[in-house]
């Protein structure tokens, strides 16, 4: 009951922070659901119901795989591990690359951030875009319970990719895993379970840091989890991961602190998570324009923490570009900045900017 009390305080805080949420994020074409306060309130009442009536807690939690292709850009085809018939009668085509997007805590495949990823790939070409729905687990107000379940979720995801590989002979290297927040660690754990095989790429969009920053590499995303791992870290202060140990190349937009468009533009999420979703929307822009985010290389993660990257001028020529499709492997730590309105990228010249306070400190 003490926890319920804390949840109520938390929700009251969220309600106070949440303002006008009508604007549609223009990166997505399809139908999608904004992440609303009512939604979080629903989680609280679900938890309350399950505390009062433990029998209502679901026994068997499952993952669902929503397939989208250019033949069905807005209406999902549901795939399930082991269900050959669904796979064979779907629009899945083994000659197209597979891109699996894995949402974070409290996420589900119907959210607008997932739609933004899906729409960007399908605007680009023929892909099997699979939005991995682990909402049986993720729609849970208790984050610690979710953290403990990550290995189990990753195992199910791993089995699904093995099923795709077995049925269609599609190589694992043609599969990219794109995680957001806790979804990054699910991708990493799924990659560990695939050894000695490897997925082609893991894109980690602001991998979650609370809890995971304290864990050994075998319990979280690590560079060895795919042939190439790239991390984009836009919120090292609150929800993100304050280190560069996750990936081969780690990008820190705006020093990983306050994102200039926050809290105003990505109105699909509550204001206090705007920095955390920044990485996701920058990545989406990089799919549409692979030279949108020119970044400069820094000596180490310490240079990010101390705002020490640069070329001695206000504009620096880029040493690499963040994101893109297909991925271009890089190594090291990178800085880039963004505009306060879309398009966010400055292009091939990296603009040096002073750090902004994390959005949470400004709202
Ligand atoms: C799969 O994709 C390839 C290349 O785009 C195409 O030639 C082929 O007809 C597709 N197969 C089916 C069954 O649609
Ligand atoms: C894939 O095939 C291997 C080898 O035949 C088999 O051991 C494994 O169980 C299969 N996995 C799935 C998910 O179908
Ligand atoms: C956000 O919107 C408010 C109200 O329209 C405005 O005062 C503020 O300057 C905007 N902030 C940013 C970062 O654009």
């Amino acid at each position: 009951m003490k926890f319920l009390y804390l949840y109520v305080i938390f929700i009251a805080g969220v309600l106070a922070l949440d303002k006008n949420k009508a604007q549609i994020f223009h990166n997505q074409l399809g139908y999608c659901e904004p992440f609303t306060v009512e939604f979080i309130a629903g989680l609280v009442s679900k938890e309350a119901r399950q505390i009062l009536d433990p029998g209502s807690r679901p026994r068997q939690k499952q993952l669902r795989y929503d397939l989208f292709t250019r033949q069905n850009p807005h209406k999902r085809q549901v795939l399930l591990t082991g269900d050959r018939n669904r796979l064979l009668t779907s629009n899945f085509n083994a000659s197209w690359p597979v891109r699996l997007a894995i949402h974070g805590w409290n996420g589900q495949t119907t959210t607008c951030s997932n739609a933004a990823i899906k729409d960007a790939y399908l605007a680009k070409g023929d892909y099997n875009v699979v939005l991995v729905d682990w909402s049986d687990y993720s729609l849970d107000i208790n984050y610690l319970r979710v953290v403990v379940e990550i290995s189990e979720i990753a195992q199910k995801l791993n089995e699904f990719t093995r099923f795709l590989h077995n049925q269609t002979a599609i190589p694992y290297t043609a599969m990219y895993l794109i995680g957001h927040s806790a979804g990054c660690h699910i991708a990493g754990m799924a990659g560990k379970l695939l050894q000695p095989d490897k997925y082609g790429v893991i894109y980690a969009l602001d991998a979650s840091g609370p809890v995971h920053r304290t864990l050994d590499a075998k319990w979280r995303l690590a560079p060895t989890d795919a042939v190439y791992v790239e991390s984009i870290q836009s919120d090292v202060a609150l929800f993100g991961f304050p280190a560069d140990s996750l990936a081969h190349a780690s990008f820190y937009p705006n020093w990983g602190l306050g994102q200039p468009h926050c809290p105003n533009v990505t109105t699909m999420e509550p204001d206090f998570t705007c920095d955390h979703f920044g990485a996701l929307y920058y990545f989406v822009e990089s799919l549409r324009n692979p030279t949108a985010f020119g970044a400069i290389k820094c000596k180490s993660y310490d240079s990010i923490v101390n705002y020490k990257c640069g070329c001695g001028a206000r504009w620096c020529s880029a040493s690499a570009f963040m994101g893109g499709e297909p991925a271009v492997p890089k190594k090291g730590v990178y800085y880039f900045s963004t505009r306060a309105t879309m398009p966010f990228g400055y292009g091939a010249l990296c603009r040096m900017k002073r750090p902004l306070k994390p959005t949470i400190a400004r709202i």
Side-chain angles (χ1 to χ4, degrees):
M1 281 302 144
K2 189 172 123 224
F3 280 108
L4 264 181
Y5 175 70
L6 288 175
Y7 294 149
V8 170
I9 303 275
F10 172 67
I11 295 313
V14 172
L15 278 166
L17 295 175
D18 207 73
K19 295 183 282 278
N20 309 312
K21 287 289 129 107
Q23 191 189 334
I24 297 296
F25 191 80
H26 78 235
N27 242 335
Q28 53 82 30
L29 306 166
Y31 309 106
C32 60
E33 294 162 14
F35 180 86
T36 62
V37 175
E38 289 74 19
F39 176 77
I40 302 179
L43 290 186
V44 177
S45 51
K46 175 172 146 191
E47 181 70 15
R49 263 199 315 279
Q50 293 182 350
I51 289 172
L52 299 172
D53 174 16
S56 70
R57 200 173 282 285
R59 292 267 129 90
Q60 188 68 38
K61 297 183 183 178
Q62 285 188 328
L63 266 61
R64 199 188 66 222
Y65 305 91
D66 294 354
L67 171 72
F68 294 89
T69 69
R70 281 187 149 184
Q71 270 97 64
N72 60 308
H74 299 309
K75 198 171 181 319
R76 70 176 180 225
Q77 291 180 326
V78 174
L79 302 180
L80 298 169
T81 305
D83 194 331
R84 260 189 102 226
N85 199 41
R86 273 177 193 268
L87 180 62
L88 294 178
T89 56
S90 76
N91 294 329
F92 188 95
N93 185 325
S95 29
W96 306 333
V98 179
R99 300 293 177 257
L100 298 122
I102 310 153
H103 60 74
W105 179 40
N106 287 340
Q108 50 188 337
T109 48
T110 48
T111 58
C112 293
S113 45
N114 266 310
I117 294 175
K118 180 254 296 175
D119 291 344
Y121 274 114
L122 297 182
K124 192 162 180 79
D126 274 319
Y127 292 91
N128 301 294
V129 178
V130 176
L131 303 182
V132 177
D133 194 302
W134 57 282
S135 59
D136 275 5
Y137 297 86
S138 74
L139 302 186
D140 183 339
I141 203 78
N142 186 341
Y143 183 62
L144 286 179
R145 187 159 54 209
V146 173
V147 167
V148 170
E149 289 167 334
I150 279 181
S151 320
E152 179 182 324
I153 300 161
Q155 191 182 341
K156 291 186 171 166
L157 172 60
N158 174 275
E159 274 166 26
F160 176 71
T161 61
R162 285 180 189 275
F163 167 67
L164 288 183
H165 172 78
N166 279 11
Q167 295 298 323
T168 69
I170 194 158
Y172 292 116
T173 49
M175 301 181 188
Y176 286 15
L177 272 45
I178 300 127
H180 176 247
S181 194
C184 302
H185 302 299
I186 295 175
M189 299 297 288
K192 289 181 213 304
L193 292 168
L194 196 64
Q195 306 279 5
D197 283 319
K198 285 191 183 198
Y199 299 116
V201 171
I202 294 176
Y203 272 123
L205 313 178
D206 212 40
S208 52
V211 186
H212 281 100
R213 72 180 70 182
T214 64
L215 299 182
D216 186 84
K218 69 174 185 237
W219 298 113
R220 57 154 171 86
L221 174 64
T224 44
D225 295 340
V227 176
Y228 174 63
V229 182
E230 182 167 321
S231 162
I232 301 131
Q233 296 173 235
S234 54
D235 184 16
V236 299
L238 186 61
F239 294 115
F241 194 94
D244 67 339
S245 46
L246 299 172
H248 297 103
S250 308
F251 288 79
Y252 297 88
N254 305 296
W255 309 104
L257 297 173
Q259 302 305 313
H261 65 274
C262 289
N264 284 0
V265 180
T266 58
T267 48
M268 290 308 179
E269 289 83 26
D271 289 349
F272 72 108
T273 64
C274 182
D275 289 342
H276 188 43
F277 278 88
L280 188 148
Y281 290 112
Y282 303 152
F283 172 71
V284 165
E285 189 173 313
S286 83
L287 295 178
R288 294 172 183 265
N289 174 9
T291 58
F293 298 96
I296 56 159
K297 195 160 186 174
C298 309
K299 280 212 189 81
S300 66
Y301 182 65
D302 276 350
S303 335
I304 296 291
V305 173
N306 301 310
Y307 322 128
K308 279 281 175 357
C309 310
C311 61
R314 193 176 163 81
W315 294 89
C316 302
S317 51
S319 22
F321 292 99
M322 179 279 280
E325 168 58 44
V328 179
K330 289 140 285 196
K331 240 181 170 348
V333 170
Y334 295 86
Y335 163 89
F336 65 90
S337 67
T338 60
R339 298 175 204 274
T341 53
M342 284 187 278
F344 295 124
Y346 280 111
L349 286 179
C350 172
R351 181 170 174 174
M352 301 311 300
K353 286 190 176 176
R354 270 197 287 273
L356 294 175
K357 280 195 183 136
T359 305
I360 188 84
R362 291 186 279 132
I363 51 180

